[in-house]
Amino acid sequence: MKGRKLQILPYLFTNWRRFLSGLLLLACLFVLGMPPAFASLNDDRYDGNIFVVYAGNGSLVPPKTTLATALKEHKPALLVFYVDDSSDCKQYAIVVSRVQAFYGMAAEIIPISVDSMPSKQTYDPTEPGYYYSGGVPQVVVFNQSGQVVLNKKGQVPYEEIDDKFREVFDLLPRSESVELKRRSFNELNSELTE
């Protein structure tokens, strides 16, 4: 009988540790659990940075350069004014990400959160506040000379921005050009296996 008790003790001890570990894990899940995400594309709640959350593109924020630098280097630029808690801006983040996909190597894409702009009486032409007209989203396209070639509020279609960049870069109009398409990684892999 005494030998049998000694064999049961390790079994009870390991099961007791498993039971306690499981109980502790459940307690952590209930006590420390995060509330569910209520992110929605169609409301005006803050869900995080719109480019990260809705466009899946964290490379846009923070901007890689400033407007002053882009103008000084004579590089075309797209200035985008937005706020993170606007459904219009949330929906528009996808368009800005698409513009970056095609023109991000040749032009500066500069998203500016209106909430983070310093409030001043006057701005210099090298500061984003100089071009802000009070609504979001707003896009401003600059050519190599620093001239504004497009300045519009609202959800400006990708095609309109594309047309302006085609003029800036002296590319064929869309009607005479082959449609630009980005390849996914899977397409690249399928080409390699053929």
Side-chain angles (χ1 to χ4, degrees), residues 1-14:
M1 186 77 155
K2 190 174 186 182
R4 187 157 172 84
K5 283 185 181 179
L6 291 177
Q7 290 175 349
I8 295 174
L9 276 176
Y11 177 75
L12 290 174
F13 186 70
T14 58

Side-chain angles (χ1 to χ4, degrees), residues 58-77:
S59 69
L60 285 168
V61 287
K64 291 182 179 31
T65 190
T66 63
L67 178 61
T69 303
L71 295 174
K72 185 175 134 187
E73 293 176 354
H74 302 287
K75 198 164 183 185

Side-chain angles (χ1 to χ4, degrees), residues 151-162:
N151 186 349
K152 278 187 128 175
K153 282 194 281 185
Q155 294 185 1
V156 180
Y158 167 80
E159 292 76 17
E160 195 169 343
I161 298 169
D162 181 45

